[in-house]
Amino acid sequence: MDSPRTWGWTLLVFAAGTALLLLVAATGLGGPVAAEAGSGEVVARELLRASSTGRQALVSSLWWPPLPALLRTPLAALRPGPDGTAVSARLFGALWGGGLLALLYRMARRWDTGRAGLLLVGLLALSPVFLRAATRGATASALLFLAVLVLYGLIDWITLRDLRALSYFTIGGGLLVLASPGLALWFVGLLLVLGLLEHARPTPAAERRALILLAFAPALYAAGLWLLGNWLIMGDALYLLRGIGRLGRPAPIQPDLHTAGMFALLLGLAPAVLLLRRGRPRALPAALGLAALAAWAAASVIRGGAAELTPAARDALAAWWPVAAVGLLAAARPPRSPAIRPVGLAPLLAAATLVPAFGWFHHAARTQAPDPYAAPALHLRDSGLYDYVRDGATWPKVLVCGFAAFDLLSTGDYAPAFVPELDFDLDTALEVYGGHRLYVMIPPPRGGAALDSIHRKHPDLYHHGTPALIFDSEWQGWRLFEIIQPPRPQEGRTLSPEPSPP
Amino acid sequence: MEADPLALSRQHPEWSAGQTLSGGQQLALAMLLLAGLAALWFAPWTAAAAAVALATLFYLVFTLYKLYLLRLSVSGSAALAPGPEELAALRPDDLPHYSIMVPMYHEAASLPHLLRALRALDYPREKLDVQLLLEEDDAETRTAAAALDLPPWCRITLIPPSHPRTKPKACNIGLARARGELVVIYDAEDRPEPDQLKKAVAAFRQVGPEVVCLQGKLNFYNPRHNLLTRWFTAEYSAWFDLSLPGLSQLRTVIPLGGTSNHFRTAVLRDLLGWDAWNVTEDCDLGVRILRRGYATRMIETTTWEEACSSLPFWIRQRTRWLKGYMQTYLVHTRGFGRLTREIGLVHALHFHLLIGGVIACFLLNPVFWILVGLWFAFRSEILASLFAGPIFAMGAFCLFAGNFTFVYAAALGCFHRKYFDLVKYTLITPVYWVMMSLAGWRALFQLITNPFTWEKTRHGLS
């Protein structure tokens, strides 16, 4: 049972961590709000408006899982409107970041790691991945929290057979399924590890079966919910899987050097922490070394300007970072701790560390990798597009296609002229917006935008247009098409040219 | 001491369910009904949307509250758990006299099992005072008891026939004649763990004098009889192992279970015993203990009972329990704000969520199941309009996450109790909830038409 004193300290760490992260965010050291955070905020706002677009955005893509948008809705409700986007996004990141620090603090206390563990928590807090995620409002801050929770739960379950730990592991895993496909796979890997470890124990078969059911149930339920959402909203339970085959298209990205630095930093921490714990004479230099590394990490954040992570690399990192954190905390446990290094824990940590690390290196090494989240950068007002459209007609309506629309529209209040459109259909557009001067804006078919339904359903549209969609202009890769409206309503218009009569 | 089994209702009628609704409550209910009808007349959709919003908000709070209790309960040492060393240190001559009361009615078949269970108790016989509380007109049980060779530490107390014919009335008579410093209630089919009395003594010595009641955990010895007993076992495992310990840790209201409540006799007498008019007198007493400034704690010991295996009898039993919850809620919400003034806002919120929340849940559930079913069937925009933006989000959370939480808690409860083979049955417990709601509506109807009827659970079916 946790004492009120422990709870008090945990709350203090949470509050202080959140406040510090907000402070860093306010100074701009962390960088601008992450593009994916801006998109998530717009989706959350659409959900609160109960719009069809919001519901479609919630469930329709494997690369845009529902949980991040759902987690953003309470804050989006507090600060509605485009002006609140940056505030609520940064608050989101800071709150989850503060929560992560509090969780690590509790782990350090529970595992009796002493000052070394607390120092480690502080150093992990300074790592670039964590700081960038937490100060820029990125979903990664929430993912890191869940992943740490899952691993913490797994280790405590293996070592202590603690029911609370088991529920952290399984429910955290269920949430990961709704939060990130990469981490969902990681969780499945952990389930397999759990199965192997349980198999090696002299556990009765009935207990093993019950445990497997308990472990898998939340993840399967979460996956089932997602499919149900697709069936209800998109009319096809497997809609979210469409477009996976298009991931092979290459798109240039920059390797993330800061992340590589962080990787080296954390790997270097392990022996230092062990030295500290064992009280060897070299502990002080090691601690100084840690401080130097931390300072280097902080400096790399201050330099800023790092490229966006690809989702695969981000997921691999989000999977690896907590493994490193939890593994180091576990290593920092004093030998007298009853939970230290039980049979199977070392291989588990090794496997759970090496696999995502390999995944990350694999992705970092590829300079040509698909990036489903990459939105071609464009600022509507700065580019002049907003004025161009507004000046060109009295009642313009621009349907901005794809998930990138959410990021594009997160930078200001562009309603009612610009609206996001995830599943463009000409007849529906004419029916709903007839009378406006209608445009369709299409992102270039690169990276994540290549997976959008507009490119999937009409592969040539971006390059060649159709008789009903006339190319108007190009804005930093985005193409604006004007919809040619018939003089009077007609039935059965399609994007494709009418077939010639025989 | 001369017994007045109705002492509470005579001396403090405002604390008794003898009158279902006080004058103030009747007025408040009438005004609420009128306001509701007027709203439905003048602005039906707005009124419906407001009602849906309120209900959804309640569901959200209730779900989070249950999660909180679950989190507290699994955090270890939430219940008092005297260890073997402490029990071994108890000297026989240092143990207090212990009264055991067993109210029985038409339960002749249970008598031999009961005596076996009582004989198995590890407690000095000279300090035991067992009373079998038998109704005077229950010739069947009286004859069976007379035919048995009752040990000297076990006696029969006859309960004269009078209205109301309830278990608490019998217990009040037994309490007046109890000789022990501590007293515990068991049902006829109960099988307490042999060291339970010693554990209670040790636990009472661990805590301060303000703790006047220790509630043992209840579970069933026939969990695998049929699907109903499997679900019932899962429910009990979740409630007694994964909810009540959390409440115990919070030192707040604990709705006592019907048996295995250990009391300090003198304080229980001072509290005027049980309310003879309340059909869940245990739940009511749990609240009254807190209102009088005392406390209840959970104790790590189990009494094994028989799970009702017949659906009709289960419905009757559950109807009585929920009717009793309604009586308890009405009794303790008399006097505007009085409960909050007496026990403080936090404990009052616990009371409202634990007692009122359970009632509301079972009554509201069918309404929302029908709404969800209609939406799935027709995808009606009118229904969708009842769930405006944030309400939809909260409702979806409760529907998808809340319900799963309750199912998963039942599964964890079974796992915790080492009923590994029952875990899979918990995945279909929503069917069990339907039966609970049926009992809930039946309870409401009975509260209006026949509030004091005690529908007896038949035992010995397994």
Side-chain angles (χ1 to χ4, degrees), chain A residues 6 99 120 139 207 279 302 307 428 454 462 472:
Chain A
T6 307
L120 189 57
T139 301
E207 181 178 350
I302 292 168
T428 309
I454 188 77
Y462 177 84
D472 182 283

Side-chain angles (χ1 to χ4, degrees), chain A residues 2-18 98-110 115 118 121:
Chain A
D2 306 313
S3 68
R5 188 181 161 85
T6 307
W7 266 111
W9 275 105
T10 307
L11 280 175
L12 187 67
V13 170
F14 170 69
T18 305
L100 179 58
L101 291 179
L103 178 62
L104 287 170
Y105 168 76
R106 284 186 59 75
M107 288 163 61
R109 290 294 297 261
R110 188 172 165 83
R115 265 176 272 174
L118 300 181
V121 172

